[in-house]
Amino acid sequence: MALPKSGGDVRPIGMGATIRKLISMFILDHTNTSGSAIEDYSEFEMKGFNANYFSGLQYGLDKLGAERIIHAVRTYRDANPEADTFLIDAENAFNSASRKIGLEQVKLHFPHLLPFISRIYAHTSHGWVFGEAGSEAVLSREGFHQGDVLGSWLFCLCIQPLLQKICDDIGARNMLMMFYIDDGNICCPFDIMIRILKILMEHGPQYGFKIKKTKGGVSTR
């Protein structure tokens, strides 16, 4: 389906085949309940890979993620009234994410899942939409399919190294940074905000993450 968006743009929403959806649901459950292949399972058995690996940075896979971000940002701003706040949205995020990096992350953490996922994303694929002239093919060369059960997980997996780089370079104590899929919520002093934006603009594009300059919001004190 090509759902209409503002400005004459469309949002492609796909429906996968039944077998693909069922397998993807099992995979997503597996990542929620088991540990990474490169880690000691005992470290993950209480929460599972997703809750541990994305903890503190990415909340898009957390059922209460939005609420946690709202309360955390409000608390930080009350305690640090001099801090700036930047609400970031990415440009065409799902369709721009780097498949190469996403598949590399799957191989790193869950190599046994790579054969199935690479069948979908290792090559250019065709989506089909029913238009005025009948069924038309839409090539999919980059990004993750909107409507894919694994789409959000793969996107989060893809940009996590970017978020971790920011955290490592800046220091978690110097900022509050919480993402909900591609929507970033950053609170910190002005000089640190400038450093974060430089990292996002310099390194973000290789992950397919480009700041959408026509959307988002900035609050300065």
Side-chain angles (χ1 to χ4, degrees):
M1 297 176 63
L3 300 181
K5 294 176 62 176
S6 60
D9 200 1
V10 297
R11 182 188 302 278
I13 302 295
M15 290 292 291
T18 300
I19 293 178
R20 171 178 168 178
K21 294 187 70 173
L22 285 173
I23 295 175
S24 297
M25 290 171 64
F26 284 125
I27 288 176
L28 194 58
D29 182 68
H30 174 65
T31 65
N32 277 321
T33 57
S34 67
S36 167
I38 64 168
E39 299 285 354
D40 179 2
Y41 181 79
S42 61
E43 297 179 12
F44 289 85
E45 60 185 355
M46 295 301 294
K47 292 183 179 180
F49 173 80
N50 292 339
N52 285 277
Y53 186 63
F54 298 117
S55 177
L57 291 174
Q58 176 60 257
Y59 291 80
L61 303 175
D62 186 337
K63 292 181 179 179
L64 297 176
E67 288 81 359
R68 297 189 201 281
I69 292 173
I70 290 170
H71 291 300
V73 169
R74 181 178 297 164
T75 300
Y76 184 95
R77 285 170 58 86
D78 288 344
N80 302 272
E82 77 289 349
D84 291 352
T85 301
F86 191 12
L87 307 180
I88 301 174
D89 188 37
E91 186 78 45
N92 196 21
F94 268 74
N95 299 314
S96 302
S98 170
R99 288 186 181 179
K100 179 178 182 294
I101 292 178
L103 291 173
E104 286 174 348
Q105 290 297 301
V106 172
K107 182 180 180 180
L108 177 64
H109 297 288
F110 293 97
H112 52 290
L113 302 181
L114 186 63
F116 173 76
I117 296 175
S118 63
R119 283 288 296 255
I120 302 171
Y121 290 113
H123 307 283
T124 298
S125 60
H126 287 78
W128 299 90
V129 61
F130 188 77
E132 295 181 359
S135 296
E136 301 176 24
V138 179
L139 292 181
S140 175
R141 297 188 178 93
E142 197 62 281
F144 306 110
H145 304 150
Q146 291 173 264
D148 181 5
V149 172
L150 293 173
S152 293
W153 181 72
L154 288 169
F155 180 86
C156 292
L157 203 61
C158 173
I159 69 166
Q160 185 68 9
L162 172 63
L163 304 187
Q164 191 60 56
K165 175 177 176 55
I166 295 174
C167 191
D168 293 343
D169 289 0
I170 302 299
R173 294 184 178 181
N174 298 320
M175 63 177 180
L176 174 73
M177 184 175 71
M178 304 173 76
F179 270 69
Y180 193 91
I181 312 296
D182 65 308
D183 296 318
N185 305 268
I186 304 175
C187 301
C188 60
F190 176 78
D191 60 324
I192 293 178
M193 185 71 76
I194 296 301
R195 291 171 59 192
I196 293 173
L197 292 178
K198 288 183 67 175
I199 294 173
L200 282 173
M201 290 188 290
E202 180 178 352
H203 298 279
Q206 74 184 75
Y207 296 87
F209 189 97
K210 298 179 181 179
I211 297 174
K212 190 171 186 177
K213 298 180 180 178
T214 58
K215 192 176 179 181
V218 179
S219 175
T220 58
R221 299 294 182 96

